[in-house]
Amino acid sequence: KFNGSLGMVWRDDSPQGDISTRYKRALTQFDLSLNYRLHRRVTLYVQGRNIFNQPVLWYDFPNGGIDGEGGVLGQMQEYGANWVFGVKGTF
């Protein structure tokens, strides 16, 4: 009757396109999915993305490399967790 999963998305430090002095920092986000079957044909579900609300951080490194010192936060993207609740029917 009950089904669930927890997924993790990890991304390492990565440069922004052609600009070698701006890097998106490493990021770990978690996703959640839960299902509860009420009847043979009806299921309740909930899905969550980025459930711990981890922001995406962009750092500028004026010395040209991520290994260099002096990284400065250049941009922060924070979208929050995204939740979807629903009822699924099979006909």
Side-chain angles (χ1 to χ4, degrees):
K1 284 194 148 212
F2 178 76
N3 179 337
S5 66
L6 179 66
M8 181 183 85
V9 178
W10 177 79
R11 189 198 64 242
D12 199 2
D13 293 328
S14 57
Q16 177 184 357
D18 302 353
I19 304 171
S20 62
T21 59
R22 178 167 273 197
Y23 285 82
K24 191 185 299 184
R25 293 304 256 175
L27 178 66
T28 302
Q29 295 178 330
F30 289 90
D31 300 336
L32 176 72
S33 177
L34 301 172
N35 296 289
Y36 182 75
R37 190 175 62 199
L38 293 175
H39 183 268
R40 184 170 62 101
R41 296 180 180 253
V42 179
T43 303
L44 296 176
Y45 69 90
V46 61
Q47 296 172 335
R49 295 198 48 149
N50 191 16
I51 61 174
F52 296 119
N53 192 21
Q54 291 297 311
V56 179
L57 303 175
W58 296 87
Y59 278 85
D60 292 320
F61 288 86
N63 297 333
I66 199 165
D67 294 330
E69 295 295 321
V72 176
L73 180 62
Q75 182 177 351
M76 182 173 108
Q77 298 173 343
E78 187 171 16
Y79 302 106
N82 295 307
W83 295 96
V84 176
F85 300 89
V87 177
K88 180 171 66 173
T90 305
F91 301 97

